[in-house]
């Protein structure tokens, strides 16, 4: 299974880890991936998570991400 998590914040990192424990493919989106230290640390340990920059109020970014996925 796959889950897309938008606007990943510090409090949602645990949710991502729960998905990963159950072998879900996690597509995690955040506004600034360089500042998402915990998320990037988890992503380096797991092949089931991918991190993308996304501002959900920016329709061009949403469109570009949908084309990648």
């Amino acid at each position: 299974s796959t889950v897309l998590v938008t606007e990943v914040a510090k409090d949602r990192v645990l949710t991502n880890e729960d998905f990963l424990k159950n072998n879900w493919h996690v597509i995690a989106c955040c506004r600034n991936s360089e500042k998402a230290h915990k998320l990037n640390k988890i992503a380096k340990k797991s092949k089931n998570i991918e991190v993308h920059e996304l501002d959900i109020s920016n329709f061009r970014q949403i469109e570009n991400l949908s084309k990648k996925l």
Side-chain angles (χ1 to χ4, degrees):
S1 298
T2 300
V3 62
L4 172 72
V5 183
T6 60
E7 297 294 320
V8 176
K10 292 177 186 176
D11 57 339
R12 292 203 189 154
V13 171
L14 293 177
T15 304
N16 292 333
E17 289 176 313
D18 290 339
F19 286 124
L20 292 171
K21 287 178 188 174
N22 292 308
N23 280 335
W24 283 58
H25 178 89
V26 177
I27 302 167
C29 301
C30 55
R31 288 185 186 183
N32 186 339
S33 62
E34 291 180 9
K35 292 184 178 181
H37 302 292
K38 277 186 168 181
L39 181 60
N40 288 322
K41 185 176 180 180
I42 295 168
K44 286 181 182 179
K45 293 180 182 179
S46 175
K47 64 179 179 178
N48 288 346
I49 187 168
E50 54 185 277
V51 179
H52 296 275
E53 286 196 10
L54 178 68
D55 179 347
I56 60 170
S57 66
N58 184 319
F59 294 111
R60 185 174 302 258
Q61 286 185 11
I62 295 169
E63 184 178 3
N64 289 339
L65 180 60
S66 69
K67 289 176 182 177
K68 285 183 185 177
L69 302 176

